[in-house]
Amino acid sequence: ELTSKTLAGQGRKEERLHELLLEYHRKLVQDYPKSRGGMKRSWSNQDYGVIIDGSTLSLVLNSTLNSNSSNYKNIFLQICQKCTAVLCCRMAPLQKAQIVKMVKNVKGNPITLAIGDGANDVSMILEAHVGIGIKGKEGRQAARNSDYAVTKFKHLRKLLLVHGHLYYVRIAH
């Protein structure tokens, strides 16, 4: 967990962030058992996830401690790649877009998907390769700026698992 709550306490926030990033990096990247298949993930009983909030992400992206900003970004990205889930909470709209852009520019050029339901998600949806907007209580801005629009969250399952699979089969052959 990389949140303001875990960074609070003794010392400066940047020093604590540095300690946590190095600890997680050692645990997940350096000590992680190497798989023979390259990027294939073995679904063992030891899956990891990361939780990060907006204020901590701004420390990761704009760090001033020994000007390690790009180093922190790389460490954070390597940690995220080893996790099965990354949960970002309490983020500004531009931070959401920064996360998508950071993942888009990773070696191997992964295809990114962004799902949003309000005006605060528009920049993230526009930055991703594929954007899905959900019409709802927060308005239609996300749906108007997306590649695909659905009316409810429950329709995402069919869109991703059925239509996504069929599309993959069509382009693979």
Side-chain angles (χ1 to χ4, degrees):
E1 180 177 347
L2 293 170
T3 61
S4 301
K5 184 179 175 183
T6 58
L7 296 181
Q10 68 284 73
R12 292 179 45 208
K13 284 185 177 183
E14 287 189 21
E15 292 170 358
R16 180 71 177 136
L17 174 67
H18 180 75
E19 293 170 8
L20 286 173
L21 280 175
L22 291 180
E23 176 187 339
Y24 295 156
H25 186 265
R26 181 180 33 78
K27 186 175 185 178
L28 290 172
V29 178
Q30 294 171 349
D31 297 343
Y32 198 78
K34 303 283 187 233
S35 63
R36 284 181 255 144
M39 286 296 289
K40 289 185 180 177
R41 177 176 303 184
S42 63
W43 295 102
S44 64
N45 57 359
Q46 201 73 32
D47 291 334
Y48 293 98
V50 171
I51 301 171
I52 188 165
D53 64 354
S55 61
T56 308
L57 181 67
S58 66
L59 283 175
V60 169
L61 298 177
N62 306 318
S63 178
T64 58
L65 184 68
N66 298 330
S67 65
N68 281 334
S69 178
S70 63
N71 189 30
Y72 283 172
K73 255 192 244 186
N74 292 335
I75 291 172
F76 177 68
L77 198 54
Q78 289 174 4
I79 291 169
C80 291
Q81 287 175 327
K82 293 292 183 179
C83 292
T84 55
V86 178
L87 177 66
C88 302
C89 57
R90 305 243 183 247
M91 294 202 165
L94 288 177
Q95 286 179 317
K96 295 176 182 183
Q98 282 179 322
I99 290 281
V100 172
K101 188 174 189 172
M102 193 166 61
V103 171
K104 257 174 71 170
N105 295 330
V106 170
K107 183 180 178 183
N109 298 323
I111 303 297
T112 56
L113 168 76
I115 301 171
D117 66 343
N120 60 336
D121 299 320
V122 170
S123 59
M124 173 183 65
I125 289 171
L126 292 175
E127 184 65 41
H129 289 107
V130 180
I132 299 176
I134 300 172
K135 299 175 190 172
K137 294 180 182 177
E138 293 190 32
R140 295 184 181 206
Q141 291 89 346
R144 288 182 179 153
N145 288 289
S146 63
D147 301 312
Y148 301 97
V150 294
T151 55
K152 296 182 180 178
F153 274 103
K154 70 178 185 176
H155 297 147
L156 284 175
R157 177 180 289 164
K158 186 174 182 184
L159 178 68
L160 295 175
L161 299 179
V162 176
H163 295 291
H165 174 73
L166 292 175
Y167 180 75
Y168 174 77
V169 168
R170 280 195 303 267
I171 65 170
H173 290 118

